[in-house]
Amino acid sequence: MATTAAAPADRGAPELVAPRSPQQRTKPGAAKVRSNFELYAWVFMRISGLLLFFLVLGHLFIMNILDGGVQRVNFGFVAGRWASPFWRMWDLVMLLLAELHGTNGLRTVINDYAERAQTRFWLKMLLYTSAFLVVTLGTLVIFTFDPDL
Amino acid sequence: MPKAPAGTLYRGREGMWSWVAHRITGVLLFFFLFAHVLDTALVRVSPSSYNEVIEVYKSPIVNLLEVGLVAAVLFHALNGIRIILIDFWESGPKYQKQMLYIELVLFVVLLVPAAYRMLLHTAETLFGSAA
């Protein structure tokens, strides 16, 4: 899985290095660029996960279990909830955290199972495009909701 | 414990299977969130189109799937807390198996009453109220 970043043009097997040798981060000779991105992503998963624990379980409890559950949900119910800035904020924070948490999770899954550099690249492009759409659409809906529609 | 087969890092037992379940529930929830943002976005189209799609959520079969959704969220949430404890609590790695069994007990204890509440209306519609 951990192969050199640049795949040869003939997509032949990447150069094999000895097992357990340190990961080569850059091409030999290129300036060393080390980033802490993976560390920040790891921390983000734990912090967002802890917040989502309360946000999502609370959301499910209110929408699916509390008096009548999903049977009472309709446009009027949503309008009633979103009349309060508190619930709009709740839904906005939950949307952003959940989508980013899920996107980073799927990025990990793609990195684990997609072995060809091209496949990894296009799967991640698809992932980031869908994440952008979901975040944009969801945010727009929460901010521009019109109860008198 | 038998040695893991050569050529794999998968070790089986509690550690691996909880990781597998965490990954599967996570991917499922990601795809559900995609669909859920789209269906909720219909509140911006018209009240009737939103109400129409929400009717799907109230139908018996989708109602049953919602219990599956709640189960997936509940497992992922509880197991996520376990992962955080493994990472940050000094005895976390030592007690990861015990924590999984506590987690599974909590999972059942919380899911059963939730599923009961969620399915009550559907059961009454399908089979008539026994009261």
Side-chain angles (χ1 to χ4, degrees), chain A residues 40-98:
Chain A
Y40 298 139
W42 179 88
V43 172
F44 171 77
M45 289 310 261
R46 272 117 194 107
I47 294 173
S48 61
L50 200 58
L51 293 170
L52 285 166
F53 183 93
F54 299 102
L55 291 170
V56 176
L57 289 180
H59 177 74
L60 286 179
F61 182 72
I62 293 165
M63 303 309 276
N64 291 282
I65 294 170
L66 212 61
D67 49 32
V70 75
Q71 303 298 333
R72 78 200 192 292
V73 177
N74 56 30
F75 184 85
F77 184 80
V78 175
R81 273 168 61 78
W82 279 355
S84 144
F86 175 83
W87 292 116
R88 279 197 191 202
M89 240 13 222
W90 179 300
D91 286 352
L92 181 69
V93 172
M94 181 169 64
L95 166 76
L96 297 178
L97 288 179

Side-chain angles (χ1 to χ4, degrees), chain A residues 7 9 14 17 26 34 41 47 58 64 82 85 106 111 120 138 141 143 149:
Chain A
V17 292
T26 50
R34 295 184 62 137
I47 294 173
N64 291 282
W82 279 355
L106 256 80
N111 281 339
R120 292 152 78 94
V141 167
F143 277 117
L149 189 71

Side-chain angles (χ1 to χ4, degrees), chain A:
Chain A
M1 191 197 79
T3 58
T4 47
D10 63 356
R11 68 181 183 87
E15 183 187 331
L16 284 175
V17 292
R20 308 275 169 189
S21 56
Q23 189 187 346
Q24 186 124 27
R25 286 167 188 277
T26 50
K27 285 180 212 164
K32 270 220 163 81
V33 183
R34 295 184 62 137
S35 128
N36 280 333
F37 177 77
E38 293 298 338
L39 170 68
Y40 298 139
W42 179 88
V43 172
F44 171 77
M45 289 310 261
R46 272 117 194 107
I47 294 173
S48 61
L50 200 58
L51 293 170
L52 285 166
F53 183 93
F54 299 102
L55 291 170
V56 176
L57 289 180
H59 177 74
L60 286 179
F61 182 72
I62 293 165
M63 303 309 276
N64 291 282
I65 294 170
L66 212 61
D67 49 32
V70 75
Q71 303 298 333
R72 78 200 192 292
V73 177
N74 56 30
F75 184 85
F77 184 80
V78 175
R81 273 168 61 78
W82 279 355
S84 144
F86 175 83
W87 292 116
R88 279 197 191 202
M89 240 13 222
W90 179 300
D91 286 352
L92 181 69
V93 172
M94 181 169 64
L95 166 76
L96 297 178
L97 288 179
E99 187 59 29
L100 288 177
H101 187 98
T103 301
N104 191 51
L106 256 80
R107 183 182 69 89
T108 309
V109 172
I110 292 169
N111 281 339
D112 275 356
Y113 301 123
E115 295 187 3
R116 283 187 53 199
Q118 286 268 314
T119 317
R120 292 152 78 94
F121 176 80
W122 287 112
L123 282 177
K124 280 189 239 178
M125 283 303 120
L126 185 66
L127 174 68
Y128 299 149
T129 308
S130 85
F132 176 77
L133 284 175
V134 166
V135 164
T136 310
L137 178 67
T139 307
L140 216 61
V141 167
I142 292 173
F143 277 117
T144 67
F145 177 71
D146 177 9
D148 302 319
L149 189 71

Side-chain angles (χ1 to χ4, degrees), chain B residues 14-75:
Chain B
E14 292 86 345
M16 183 191 104
W17 291 111
S18 60
W19 172 84
V20 168
H22 199 79
R23 183 157 275 201
I24 292 173
T25 51
V27 171
L28 285 174
L29 295 175
F30 179 84
F31 286 109
F32 171 74
L33 179 60
F34 184 85
H36 187 45
V37 170
L38 291 186
D39 68 54
T40 305
L42 290 176
V43 292
R44 205 61 200 90
V45 177
S46 74
S48 61
S49 53
Y50 179 73
N51 290 342
E52 209 172 301
V53 77
I54 284 300
E55 281 306 312
V56 176
Y57 279 94
K58 302 177 189 178
S59 68
I61 292 177
V62 180
N63 189 223
L64 196 62
L65 291 174
E66 277 154 40
V67 176
L69 173 75
V70 169
V73 170
L74 192 58
F75 176 84

Side-chain angles (χ1 to χ4, degrees), chain B residues 69-89:
Chain B
L69 173 75
V70 169
V73 170
L74 192 58
F75 176 84
H76 200 86
L78 292 171
N79 197 56
I81 299 293
R82 173 174 162 271
I83 292 173
I84 292 174
L85 286 171
I86 293 173
D87 286 343
F88 291 104
W89 175 37

